[in-house]
Amino acid sequence: MTSHTTSFEQTPSTDAAPAADAFDPRDDLATAMALAGRTLAAVRPDQYDAPTPCEDFDVRRLSSHLVAVVRRIAVIGRGEDPFSVPSFADELTDGAWAGAWESAACEAADVWADPGILGRELRLPVGRLPGAAGALMYSHELTVHTWDLARATGQRPVWDESLVERALALVRRVLPAEARGGPIPFGPVTDVDADAPAIDRLVAWAGRRP
């Protein structure tokens, strides 16, 4: 399985916006950020070198990437260049990720508190899209990487089933099961029962083995 960052940041798509009169996708983004932060804070020093289901990352590298992701969410919300934020918080020392996450998540929450952001065109790594689409895409990315980190460190987060089902509907719409690899940084879809928990079906679509 080649999953790389398993991120919509490298996946061409213009079909990620929610339907009119839908829920506020910022709620899912806030929930996903909160769970990612709790999971990151529970990582132990003896787990930093452990492999994760995202095969390019060990726990140390994934923790660094998660901090970079939440920083990028704030930058995107301000309408700035997402690539001004490196993909990894390499300046942080081991164990500093949870503290950096907390401050970055607070900044992101402040930026995304404006309801007008949902209809505003923002610069995402995949191109210009409404803020609503950005919130959905990053809810998905944070959820999958939280699962990666939890699996690698023996944690059992309590998943928000509605959020995960919405993330799954999104990823099935914008990420086909075929043509994985290369510019599409996701591994092949793995087999999972149709009645499996939503989180298992979500990570299976992202190329993981639940």
Side-chain angles (χ1 to χ4, degrees):
M1 176 183 71
T2 302
S3 53
H4 304 288
T5 60
T6 310
S7 167
F8 280 117
E9 294 190 343
Q10 298 175 349
T11 306
S13 173
T14 56
D15 185 30
D21 301 322
F23 75 105
D24 187 334
R26 295 175 303 162
D27 293 342
D28 277 1
L29 181 60
T31 299
M33 285 197 299
L35 184 57
R38 292 194 298 272
T39 305
L40 186 60
V43 174
R44 302 190 312 268
D46 63 295
Q47 296 173 323
Y48 294 163
D49 292 321
T52 76
C54 189
E55 65 180 22
D56 292 344
F57 297 163
D58 59 12
V59 167
R60 176 182 286 105
R61 199 65 172 155
L62 180 56
S63 299
S64 176
H65 178 60
L66 277 167
V67 173
V69 168
V70 77
R71 288 174 173 175
R72 187 168 282 183
I73 290 169
V75 165
I76 288 170
R78 290 196 296 266
E80 299 170 4
D81 179 7
F83 295 111
S84 66
V85 179
S87 295
F88 300 92
D90 286 333
E91 83 285 0
L92 297 176
T93 58
D94 284 0
W97 305 295
W101 173 277
E102 185 175 352
S103 60
C106 286
E107 181 181 359
D110 288 344
V111 171
W112 285 79
D114 176 10
I117 200 171
L118 295 178
R120 193 176 303 144
E121 187 177 84
L122 302 177
R123 287 189 286 175
L124 276 74
V126 298
R128 293 183 177 271
L129 290 171
L136 286 169
M137 290 168 62
Y138 278 103
S139 296
H140 167 272
E141 176 164 6
L142 288 172
T143 299
V144 172
H145 276 324
T146 297
W147 181 88
D148 288 331
L149 190 62
R151 176 59 66 93
T153 58
Q155 299 183 56
R156 293 182 174 272
V158 177
W159 305 101
D160 183 312
E161 290 292 314
S162 296
L163 182 161
V164 177
E165 289 286 6
R166 283 188 287 269
L168 181 58
L170 167 69
V171 73
R172 283 179 169 168
R173 189 167 73 248
V174 304
L175 177 66
E178 300 78 22
R180 301 291 182 95
I184 308 299
F186 293 80
V189 175
T190 59
D191 292 333
V192 66
D193 291 341
D195 59 353
I199 189 64
D200 289 356
R201 289 181 279 119
L202 176 66
V203 300
W205 196 265
R208 309 295 202 262
R209 293 192 179 279

